[in-house]
Amino acid sequence: AQSVTQLDSQVPVFEEAPVELRCNYSSSVSVYLFWYVQYPNQGLQLLLKYLSGSTLVKGINGFEAEFNKSQTSFHLRKPSVHISDTAEYFCAVSDGQGGSEKLVFGKGTKLTVNP
Amino acid sequence: KAGVTQTPRYLIKTRGQQVTLSCSPISGHRSVSWYQQTPGQGLQFLFEYFSETQRNKGNFPGRFSGRQFSNSRSEMNVSTLELGDSALYLCASSLALMDRNTEAFFGQGTRLTVV
């Protein structure tokens, strides 16, 4: 079964600073990776996904992530954060062999952007 | 177009009781997945329903069950509630059976507190 590790449970940064949220996954033959964001009292929203092709994936709200197969990582980055980026971020992998697949999530990283 | 609607948003139940949560997917979506979110365990997959049939199941006891109706609405039931069942229950809908190419859209969740 697939698993995901988010290395930082909390990341505080100042507004307009760059940020990187780290995610490592368990190796498998094929891997499909996702980043979701959860704002307070909200559900999850898809930021970006990696299925195949270019290892640099661009998502919404200025976020991007890089798939690194040799390091089994899929870190999320943003060059300049805003107060409104304060939220919890979840890395996930799709687990399944055809048929129905489920999302396996990491424990989440709480990003706090301070003025 | 309306998003995923979960009702109720908040619920308080007593140990030993049972509870039913409801999820109305986005119009036209045929798959509904359920996830449990707790501070300790994070986000965990419960089950997925597609065309009124359970297609995938997570590692939860039989007290957790669900069903899907012909209009794709889904209900989740938890019997004999335990304190540890306190969690945010998230529902996600997708056009088709979940696979890596299918985007899941999440509702805001039902916050269940067991006292």
Side-chain angles (χ1 to χ4, degrees):
Chain A
Q2 304 272 18
S3 66
V4 172
T5 302
Q6 290 184 245
L7 298 159
D8 306 297
S9 60
Q10 298 190 55
V11 172
V13 294
F14 287 109
E15 194 173 18
E16 297 184 11
V19 71
E20 178 180 84
L21 307 184
R22 298 182 292 168
C23 171
N24 286 89
Y25 62 91
S26 60
S27 181
S28 181
V29 175
S30 299
V31 63
Y32 307 95
L33 295 155
F34 307 80
W35 275 99
Y36 282 84
V37 60
Q38 185 177 35
Y39 298 102
N41 298 315
Q42 299 292 318
L44 300 173
Q45 180 183 9
L46 180 65
L47 274 177
L48 48 80
K49 61 184 175 184
Y50 171 78
L51 302 181
S52 64
S54 173
T55 57
L56 184 63
V57 181
K58 292 191 184 295
I60 62 171
N61 301 342
F63 284 93
E64 63 181 33
E66 184 153 20
F67 172 65
N68 188 318
K69 189 173 181 179
S70 63
Q71 296 187 4
T72 61
S73 68
F74 189 55
H75 300 335
L76 182 70
R77 301 186 182 104
K78 187 169 182 178
S80 176
V81 294
H82 302 290
I83 299 283
S84 59
D85 292 322
T86 294
E88 191 157 18
Y89 293 78
F90 293 91
C91 182
V93 63
S94 180
D95 188 20
Q97 299 293 330
S100 171
E101 298 192 16
K102 64 183 181 187
L103 292 169
V104 176
F105 289 90
K107 290 290 179 73
T109 298
K110 286 186 181 172
L111 174 65
T112 303
V113 181
N114 298 302
Chain B
K1 150 166 144 174
V4 179
T5 303
Q6 290 190 246
T7 55
R9 288 291 313 277
Y10 302 92
L11 206 48
I12 299 176
K13 289 285 188 180
T14 305
R15 269 184 303 175
Q17 287 186 313
Q18 75 165 20
V19 67
T20 299
L21 312 181
S22 178
C23 172
S24 293
I26 292 171
S27 178
H29 284 199
R30 296 172 60 195
S31 168
V32 173
S33 299
W34 289 89
Y35 289 81
Q36 181 195 64
Q37 185 177 18
T38 59
Q41 298 299 315
L43 280 150
Q44 293 185 287
F45 173 77
L46 281 155
F47 26 65
E48 179 184 11
Y49 284 86
F50 179 79
S51 293
E52 302 178 62
T53 303
Q54 188 181 91
R55 300 302 183 104
N56 202 351
K57 190 177 189 309
N59 295 323
F60 279 82
R63 300 185 298 106
F64 291 81
S65 63
R67 59 178 174 169
Q68 186 180 35
F69 302 95
S70 58
N71 62 357
S72 295
R73 189 177 71 86
S74 176
E75 287 182 348
M76 193 196 110
N77 186 275
V78 188
S79 63
T80 319
L81 283 165
E82 301 176 359
L83 294 179
D85 297 332
S86 295
L88 181 67
Y89 290 89
L90 290 166
C91 162
S93 83
S94 53
L95 268 172
L97 198 60
M98 270 299 294
D99 66 19
R100 60 205 64 127
N101 291 310
T102 306
E103 182 172 347
F105 294 83
F106 284 81
Q108 292 184 291
T110 293
R111 171 79 60 188
L112 172 65
T113 302
V114 182
V115 297

